[in-house]
Each structure stands twice: as C-alpha cells, then as structure tokens.
Amino acid sequence: AQKITQTQPGMFVQEKEAVTLDCTYDTSDPSYGLFWYKQPSSGEMIFLIYQGSYDQQNATEGRYSLNFQKARKSANLVISASQLGDSAMYFCAAVRIQGAQKLVFGQGTRLTINP
Amino acid sequence: DVKVTQSSRYLVKRTGEKVFLECVQDMDHENMFWYRQDPGLGLRLIYFSYDVKMKEKGDIPEGYSVSREKKERFSLILESASTNQTSMYLCASSLGTHNEAFFGQGTRLTVV
C-alpha cells in the first residue's frame, strides 16, 4: 500500500524567504513517481514538479526543487524566494509505476506568505 | 489544452438518493481517478481506472461504485447517498505514471 504523510498542516513564511514543505512516503513498490501540486483558493490543482524514484538528480522547475532522499523516503518541496502568490495548499503525491497506476495524495500543507 | 470536465459544480441531493457524478476528458488518457477532498484529510482516492471497463478500488471505496464504458468518461456513483458523503469530489486523468494528472474543477456535493 502507498501512504503519503505531510506533517505540517500550516506554515507561515516571510516574503522572499525560502520554504521547505515536508513529505514522507511509504510504499513497497520498487518503482514509483512523486509529484507536488499547488491548490490556490480558487480550487484548481496545479502541477508543480515530478521526481522518478530512479532519477539520479533532484528535480527542479524554476523556483521549485524537490529534495529527494530515497533512503529516508522523503520528497520535500523547496520554494526559493517565496512570493505572495505562493500562498496556497500544497499536496505531495505518489504513483506506482508497475501495475495499475494508483495515485495517492497526502493531507496537504497550507502555506501562507506574509508581506 | 487538456480538459477534464465534471458535469456539475454544485449538487444538493437527499439522503438515500442515487447520485451520478460524471467526468469527461478530451486527451485520450488511459488513467482516470476519483477523489474526495475534505479539510485536514487531503485528497483521498475513491476509485481509479487504467483502461475501459477496468477499475480498481482506492483507499475509501465504501458506498461508491464507478463505471468506465468509454475511454473519455469515468462516472462515480453513490448508490444511496448519505450525509457523510457531503464533500468536494475531484476527477483527474493522466497519460501515464511519469505524467502529471489533470484535474476537473470539482463538484461540491451536499447530501441533506
């Protein structure tokens, strides 16, 4: 079974600071993918970044990077130089690659950027 | 642009009614998913489908069923709606495991 845990229900950060959102995953699958999504107050789900379990390098997309530590089963999202528009819910998700492709999400972290 | 469309934005149903939530995607995606989103609980997977007529239970399938007769359409069925099924329901589709999922706008269902 796959399980995603996000232990920070809420975070408050000053604008322009970097922020790390925690995500740990529990899966018995040998191959899997990890995602981060952003959900602003409008409710849409916005894809941010993807990391495959066999990717050698940590994924980066603009101001987003994924700090992937396979041995610790963690896939933390790092947002550099935070902006007011980064205020939103953030969800970590995992999908197994072999077999039926079950995509599961964590509980989410509400990030608030203060001016 | 990929589009995932859910048939209703808001629904109010009575306890015991049979409820159908429809989801259509226009990008020939293999995988489709139904989630419910509740505060503090995140997105919980109800059912998913990886091909026409193929489905698997997610983490909270009780009280729900699904149907996928055509590749582009994935329906969620509440056989007998109950008040604890009041929630936001999100449909998503994806091409494959390395590809992001695209979400519909959500259906806020209230069961009274």
Side-chain angles (χ1 to χ4, degrees), chain A residues 48-62:
Chain A
L48 296 178
I49 197 165
Y50 168 81
Q51 176 90 39
S53 60
Y54 283 101
D55 291 342
Q56 295 296 317
Q57 290 192 311
N58 286 346
T60 60
E61 287 285 348

Side-chain angles (χ1 to χ4, degrees), chain A residues 2 33 35 37 39 42-43 45 47 50 91 95-97 100-108, chain B residues 9 31 33 35 37 40-43 45 48 50 56 58-59 90 96-101 103:
Chain A
Q2 298 157 259
F35 298 86
Y37 286 83
Q39 187 182 47
S42 57
M45 291 287 283
F47 164 73
Y50 168 81
F91 292 99
V95 65
R96 66 178 178 223
I97 290 176
Q101 294 160 14
K102 183 179 181 183
L103 176 65
V104 296
F105 285 77
Q107 311 94 309
Chain B
R9 194 71 195 263
N31 303 309
F33 309 86
Y35 299 90
Q37 182 175 7
L41 298 177
L43 278 69
L45 181 64
F48 66 106
Y50 50 92
E56 281 207 17
D59 296 322
L90 293 171
T97 51
H98 302 285
N99 306 97
E100 74 265 31
F103 283 79

